[in-house]
Amino acid sequence: MPITFEVLEKDIAGRTGRLKAGDKTVKTPLLLPVINPHLQPVLPGEMKAMGAEGIITNAYIFSRSGEYREEVMARGLHDLLGFDGLIMTDSGSFQLSVYGDVEITNLETLEFQKTIGSDIHVPLDIPTPPDADRQRASAELAVTMARLQEAKEVFGPDAPLAGPVQGGIYEDLRELAGRETGDLGFSFCPIGAVVPLMESYRYTDLVRVVMAAKNGLPPSACVHLFGAGHPAMFALAVAMGCDVFDSAAYALYAKDRRYLTPQGSYRIDELAELPCACRVCRKYSAQEIRESDDAVRLLSLHNLAVSLAEISHIRQAATEGTLWELVDDRCRSHPQLLRGYRELLKYNERLAGEDRVSKRRFFYRGEESSFRTEIITYQDRLCRLPLSGRVLIAMDGNPREGYDTILFFKPPFGPYPPALRETFPIGQSEIPDWDSAMVRTGCRGILRLTTEHPLCHFTVYAPREWYEIVCRELPGTGVHCDDI
Ligand SMILES: [Zn+2]
């Protein structure tokens, strides 16, 4: 059975959806906790009880394990792990990225993944590190693409195969990889080799790489951000159109005695209080966890609960259309995440093309909000407003006699006719006192309207305190102010 993906709701480039692999159907965005058979601070069955619909484990570890190899081949992965949800298996590419070599071929790992009953099989792609030069990235991408093609040819178009997208740090290679992976018929596409970017907080590069890959991938593909990661970055990744995450972070951070929150992480040794309502944090104090022999397990349980809750939070935001506000919130927890957020906002024109038209609300949360997709979509629609003759744009809210049309003004959107006062986004947006960023963005709406209607005569009345900025933003337009 092929892997299928159905999009339900869209918000920015993010979506909620249904992923079907074999006889398993799961909700997206989805977090697949990573299971290492040799080290399981939380058992797969416990994860299921916590709400994890799927897990990911490494087929290479099983295939090389004297302890597990024969048993997993005989019993199957689901039975061995005690997990009846979706199980995805990685191929050994991770080991390839760490050790530079693996003792398995592409077809051998795929055959093994099939034999043990994995629901999603990953070919042996080559994870190109970010510091690789272009020649290496290009050569390794060619190997990856050949292996993806080989996988399709040998296992058939309906095999539950993932098609990883590589290309290093080079945006054109990532886009090409995305396009070719889509052309080969892959409907589940992990974006690979991004862990080093996340580990070194290079969120600007992460955004560029993901947006490039997404530009090449078909919009219908389910996109897995391989190796992500910390719950603080899930919202940003979903906004770019990533649907699936896998996380070893819950266990790795726990091993390092670190306590995850959606706003960042703490050292358990530094915490006096536990700011969480999960089972562990209500039962134990910070000091009890610190002094417990079971600290790694307790922290793993908490870290996983927080990560799964964040995914639910994102699904809710994407369903109601408030994902930008969640991204804004999470990305303010670290300056490098804020850089990533600002980088994403540079793609706002493209993202507006994917975003939905109506949302629950628009809360202005600072200068970044002036670049949101809803404003671009609104100003595009505004240009289609039929206008003729003398048009007054009453930024100061005072209608005057002698005009054919009177428009009011709400920053950061721009002019609006009274008839749109109650509709989205004018009616559902909350803004604080005007600031210069939102006024400038609103003036862009006026400018677009005047350009679109060269035969109309526009008069703008600005409030006194914004008069100079408005004059500067609207050169050549008649801008007035009652007391000037
Ligand atoms: Zn907790």
Side-chain angles (χ1 to χ4, degrees), residues 25-52:
T25 303
V26 293
K27 292 192 290 253
T28 66
L30 170 74
L31 176 68
L32 303 170
V34 175
I35 298 286
N36 178 343
H38 295 297
L39 189 73
Q40 296 186 47
V42 184
L43 295 170
E46 292 179 291
M47 291 176 176
K48 186 88 195 273
M50 291 168 77

mmCIF file of all heavy atoms in Angstrom, residues 25-52:
data_model
loop_
_atom_site.group_PDB
_atom_site.id
_atom_site.type_symbol
_atom_site.label_atom_id
_atom_site.label_comp_id
_atom_site.label_asym_id
_atom_site.label_seq_id
_atom_site.Cartn_x
_atom_site.Cartn_y
_atom_site.Cartn_z
ATOM 1 N N THR A 25 -3.319 4.986 10.249
ATOM 2 C CA THR A 25 -3.661 6.366 9.903
ATOM 3 C C THR A 25 -3.388 7.235 11.112
ATOM 4 O O THR A 25 -3.831 6.920 12.226
ATOM 5 C CB THR A 25 -5.152 6.476 9.514
ATOM 6 O OG1 THR A 25 -5.395 5.580 8.432
ATOM 7 C CG2 THR A 25 -5.495 7.893 9.062
ATOM 8 N N VAL A 26 -2.619 8.302 10.899
ATOM 9 C CA VAL A 26 -2.236 9.165 12.025
ATOM 10 C C VAL A 26 -2.499 10.622 11.669
ATOM 11 O O VAL A 26 -2.563 10.985 10.496
ATOM 12 C CB VAL A 26 -0.733 8.992 12.383
ATOM 13 C CG1 VAL A 26 -0.472 7.611 12.935
ATOM 14 C CG2 VAL A 26 0.159 9.273 11.186
ATOM 15 N N LYS A 27 -2.659 11.440 12.713
ATOM 16 C CA LYS A 27 -2.882 12.876 12.513
ATOM 17 C C LYS A 27 -1.534 13.576 12.337
ATOM 18 O O LYS A 27 -0.547 13.219 12.988
ATOM 19 C CB LYS A 27 -3.566 13.485 13.743
ATOM 20 C CG LYS A 27 -4.995 13.025 13.965
ATOM 21 C CD LYS A 27 -5.667 13.883 15.016
ATOM 22 C CE LYS A 27 -5.104 13.626 16.393
ATOM 23 N NZ LYS A 27 -5.890 12.909 17.332
ATOM 24 N N THR A 28 -1.525 14.609 11.505
ATOM 25 C CA THR A 28 -0.344 15.465 11.415
ATOM 26 C C THR A 28 -0.752 16.887 11.762
ATOM 27 O O THR A 28 -1.927 17.217 11.582
ATOM 28 C CB THR A 28 0.269 15.461 9.999
ATOM 29 O OG1 THR A 28 -0.655 16.060 9.098
ATOM 30 C CG2 THR A 28 0.636 14.073 9.539
ATOM 31 N N PRO A 29 0.169 17.750 12.204
ATOM 32 C CA PRO A 29 1.556 17.459 12.527
ATOM 33 C C PRO A 29 1.683 16.327 13.548
ATOM 34 O O PRO A 29 0.846 16.180 14.431
ATOM 35 C CB PRO A 29 2.076 18.779 13.110
ATOM 36 C CG PRO A 29 1.222 19.832 12.474
ATOM 37 C CD PRO A 29 -0.124 19.199 12.342
ATOM 38 N N LEU A 30 2.771 15.588 13.354
ATOM 39 C CA LEU A 30 2.992 14.358 14.111
ATOM 40 C C LEU A 30 4.411 14.335 14.654
ATOM 41 O O LEU A 30 5.344 14.730 13.954
ATOM 42 C CB LEU A 30 2.792 13.171 13.147
ATOM 43 C CG LEU A 30 3.182 11.783 13.618
ATOM 44 C CD1 LEU A 30 2.151 11.261 14.622
ATOM 45 C CD2 LEU A 30 3.281 10.815 12.437
ATOM 46 N N LEU A 31 4.543 13.868 15.893
ATOM 47 C CA LEU A 31 5.883 13.675 16.453
ATOM 48 C C LEU A 31 6.137 12.180 16.605
ATOM 49 O O LEU A 31 5.337 11.473 17.222
ATOM 50 C CB LEU A 31 6.002 14.359 17.818
ATOM 51 C CG LEU A 31 7.337 14.144 18.542
ATOM 52 C CD1 LEU A 31 8.476 14.849 17.811
ATOM 53 C CD2 LEU A 31 7.270 14.635 19.980
ATOM 54 N N LEU A 32 7.240 11.717 16.040
ATOM 55 C CA LEU A 32 7.640 10.314 16.183
ATOM 56 C C LEU A 32 8.797 10.274 17.180
ATOM 57 O O LEU A 32 9.929 10.624 16.827
ATOM 58 C CB LEU A 32 8.123 9.757 14.833
ATOM 59 C CG LEU A 32 7.147 9.827 13.657
ATOM 60 C CD1 LEU A 32 7.868 9.463 12.350
ATOM 61 C CD2 LEU A 32 5.969 8.901 13.880
ATOM 62 N N PRO A 33 8.551 9.870 18.417
ATOM 63 C CA PRO A 33 9.678 9.733 19.350
ATOM 64 C C PRO A 33 10.635 8.647 18.855
ATOM 65 O O PRO A 33 10.204 7.638 18.309
ATOM 66 C CB PRO A 33 9.012 9.316 20.661
ATOM 67 C CG PRO A 33 7.566 9.684 20.517
ATOM 68 C CD PRO A 33 7.260 9.563 19.054
ATOM 69 N N VAL A 34 11.919 8.890 19.045
ATOM 70 C CA VAL A 34 12.937 7.938 18.590
ATOM 71 C C VAL A 34 13.121 6.853 19.644
ATOM 72 O O VAL A 34 13.256 7.144 20.834
ATOM 73 C CB VAL A 34 14.277 8.661 18.342
ATOM 74 C CG1 VAL A 34 15.377 7.665 17.999
ATOM 75 C CG2 VAL A 34 14.123 9.696 17.225
ATOM 76 N N ILE A 35 13.134 5.608 19.173
ATOM 77 C CA ILE A 35 13.358 4.463 20.062
ATOM 78 C C ILE A 35 14.713 3.843 19.734
ATOM 79 O O ILE A 35 14.972 3.470 18.590
ATOM 80 C CB ILE A 35 12.283 3.368 19.831
ATOM 81 C CG1 ILE A 35 10.889 3.889 20.150
ATOM 82 C CG2 ILE A 35 12.606 2.107 20.632
ATOM 83 C CD1 ILE A 35 10.610 4.029 21.605
ATOM 84 N N ASN A 36 15.553 3.763 20.738
ATOM 85 C CA ASN A 36 16.797 3.006 20.603
ATOM 86 C C ASN A 36 16.588 1.706 21.381
ATOM 87 O O ASN A 36 16.405 1.732 22.591
ATOM 88 C CB ASN A 36 17.961 3.816 21.191
ATOM 89 C CG ASN A 36 19.272 3.045 21.123
ATOM 90 O OD1 ASN A 36 19.289 1.827 20.939
ATOM 91 N ND2 ASN A 36 20.368 3.756 21.278
ATOM 92 N N PRO A 37 16.595 0.547 20.681
ATOM 93 C CA PRO A 37 16.262 -0.700 21.387
ATOM 94 C C PRO A 37 17.201 -1.006 22.557
ATOM 95 O O PRO A 37 16.812 -1.704 23.495
ATOM 96 C CB PRO A 37 16.391 -1.762 20.287
ATOM 97 C CG PRO A 37 17.211 -1.138 19.209
ATOM 98 C CD PRO A 37 16.927 0.335 19.271
ATOM 99 N N HIS A 38 18.413 -0.457 22.486
ATOM 100 C CA HIS A 38 19.361 -0.753 23.556
ATOM 101 C C HIS A 38 19.218 0.178 24.755
ATOM 102 O O HIS A 38 19.842 -0.030 25.794
ATOM 103 C CB HIS A 38 20.798 -0.647 23.018
ATOM 104 C CG HIS A 38 21.087 -1.686 21.971
ATOM 105 N ND1 HIS A 38 21.056 -3.027 22.229
ATOM 106 C CD2 HIS A 38 21.373 -1.569 20.647
ATOM 107 C CE1 HIS A 38 21.333 -3.706 21.116
ATOM 108 N NE2 HIS A 38 21.525 -2.841 20.151
ATOM 109 N N LEU A 39 18.438 1.227 24.595
ATOM 110 C CA LEU A 39 18.338 2.230 25.651
ATOM 111 C C LEU A 39 16.947 2.833 25.599
ATOM 112 O O LEU A 39 16.650 3.640 24.745
ATOM 113 C CB LEU A 39 19.390 3.326 25.378
ATOM 114 C CG LEU A 39 19.600 4.349 26.479
ATOM 115 C CD1 LEU A 39 20.359 3.714 27.628
ATOM 116 C CD2 LEU A 39 20.386 5.541 25.931
ATOM 117 N N GLN A 40 16.072 2.379 26.487
ATOM 118 C CA GLN A 40 14.679 2.828 26.409
ATOM 119 C C GLN A 40 14.211 3.411 27.734
ATOM 120 O O GLN A 40 13.581 2.727 28.534
ATOM 121 C CB GLN A 40 13.773 1.651 26.020
ATOM 122 C CG GLN A 40 14.059 1.103 24.644
ATOM 123 C CD GLN A 40 13.038 0.037 24.235
ATOM 124 O OE1 GLN A 40 11.845 0.215 24.384
ATOM 125 N NE2 GLN A 40 13.524 -1.074 23.746
ATOM 126 N N PRO A 41 14.498 4.707 27.963
ATOM 127 C CA PRO A 41 14.036 5.318 29.213
ATOM 128 C C PRO A 41 12.508 5.353 29.305
ATOM 129 O O PRO A 41 11.950 5.335 30.392
ATOM 130 C CB PRO A 41 14.615 6.738 29.160
ATOM 131 C CG PRO A 41 14.943 6.994 27.727
ATOM 132 C CD PRO A 41 15.224 5.662 27.113
ATOM 133 N N VAL A 42 11.849 5.417 28.133
ATOM 134 C CA VAL A 42 10.385 5.340 28.092
ATOM 135 C C VAL A 42 10.031 4.234 27.098
ATOM 136 O O VAL A 42 10.541 4.215 25.978
ATOM 137 C CB VAL A 42 9.758 6.674 27.617
ATOM 138 C CG1 VAL A 42 8.240 6.598 27.684
ATOM 139 C CG2 VAL A 42 10.274 7.851 28.439
ATOM 140 N N LEU A 43 9.174 3.306 27.494
ATOM 141 C CA LEU A 43 8.839 2.184 26.614
ATOM 142 C C LEU A 43 7.816 2.615 25.564
ATOM 143 O O LEU A 43 6.984 3.493 25.821
ATOM 144 C CB LEU A 43 8.273 1.024 27.433
ATOM 145 C CG LEU A 43 9.269 0.402 28.410
ATOM 146 C CD1 LEU A 43 8.560 -0.577 29.348
ATOM 147 C CD2 LEU A 43 10.405 -0.293 27.661
ATOM 148 N N PRO A 44 7.858 1.986 24.368
ATOM 149 C CA PRO A 44 6.912 2.360 23.315
ATOM 150 C C PRO A 44 5.454 2.295 23.779
ATOM 151 O O PRO A 44 4.652 3.159 23.424
ATOM 152 C CB PRO A 44 7.196 1.333 22.214
ATOM 153 C CG PRO A 44 8.630 0.960 22.411
ATOM 154 C CD PRO A 44 8.842 1.004 23.895
ATOM 155 N N GLY A 45 5.125 1.300 24.588
ATOM 156 C CA GLY A 45 3.751 1.185 25.085
ATOM 157 C C GLY A 45 3.362 2.387 25.951
ATOM 158 O O GLY A 45 2.230 2.874 25.903
ATOM 159 N N GLU A 46 4.325 2.873 26.727
ATOM 160 C CA GLU A 46 4.064 4.070 27.544
ATOM 161 C C GLU A 46 3.858 5.291 26.650
ATOM 162 O O GLU A 46 3.044 6.165 26.944
ATOM 163 C CB GLU A 46 5.248 4.337 28.479
ATOM 164 C CG GLU A 46 5.436 3.302 29.564
ATOM 165 C CD GLU A 46 6.653 3.631 30.417
ATOM 166 O OE1 GLU A 46 7.801 3.524 29.902
ATOM 167 O OE2 GLU A 46 6.461 4.010 31.586
ATOM 168 N N MET A 47 4.624 5.332 25.559
ATOM 169 C CA MET A 47 4.478 6.458 24.622
ATOM 170 C C MET A 47 3.079 6.476 24.018
ATOM 171 O O MET A 47 2.472 7.519 23.862
ATOM 172 C CB MET A 47 5.516 6.347 23.502
ATOM 173 C CG MET A 47 6.920 6.588 23.999
ATOM 174 S SD MET A 47 8.110 6.342 22.683
ATOM 175 C CE MET A 47 9.614 6.815 23.535
ATOM 176 N N LYS A 48 2.596 5.285 23.681
ATOM 177 C CA LYS A 48 1.250 5.179 23.110
ATOM 178 C C LYS A 48 0.237 5.736 24.116
ATOM 179 O O LYS A 48 -0.651 6.509 23.751
ATOM 180 C CB LYS A 48 0.969 3.705 22.800
ATOM 181 C CG LYS A 48 -0.334 3.438 22.058
ATOM 182 C CD LYS A 48 -0.147 3.523 20.553
ATOM 183 C CE LYS A 48 -1.447 3.635 19.788
ATOM 184 N NZ LYS A 48 -2.077 2.364 19.466
ATOM 185 N N ALA A 49 0.412 5.352 25.379
ATOM 186 C CA ALA A 49 -0.507 5.824 26.412
ATOM 187 C C ALA A 49 -0.417 7.336 26.601
ATOM 188 O O ALA A 49 -1.370 7.973 27.040
ATOM 189 C CB ALA A 49 -0.208 5.106 27.736
ATOM 190 N N MET A 50 0.733 7.919 26.256
ATOM 191 C CA MET A 50 0.895 9.378 26.375
ATOM 192 C C MET A 50 0.351 10.112 25.152
ATOM 193 O O MET A 50 0.386 11.338 25.101
ATOM 194 C CB MET A 50 2.387 9.720 26.542
ATOM 195 C CG MET A 50 2.963 9.281 27.870
ATOM 196 S SD MET A 50 4.770 9.391 27.878
ATOM 197 C CE MET A 50 4.998 11.156 28.071
ATOM 198 N N GLY A 51 -0.065 9.349 24.150
ATOM 199 C CA GLY A 51 -0.666 9.989 22.976
ATOM 200 C C GLY A 51 0.192 9.933 21.722
ATOM 201 O O GLY A 51 -0.178 10.521 20.710
ATOM 202 N N ALA A 52 1.346 9.247 21.765
ATOM 203 C CA ALA A 52 2.178 9.142 20.565
ATOM 204 C C ALA A 52 1.519 8.153 19.591
ATOM 205 O O ALA A 52 1.311 6.995 19.945
ATOM 206 C CB ALA A 52 3.581 8.674 20.930
#
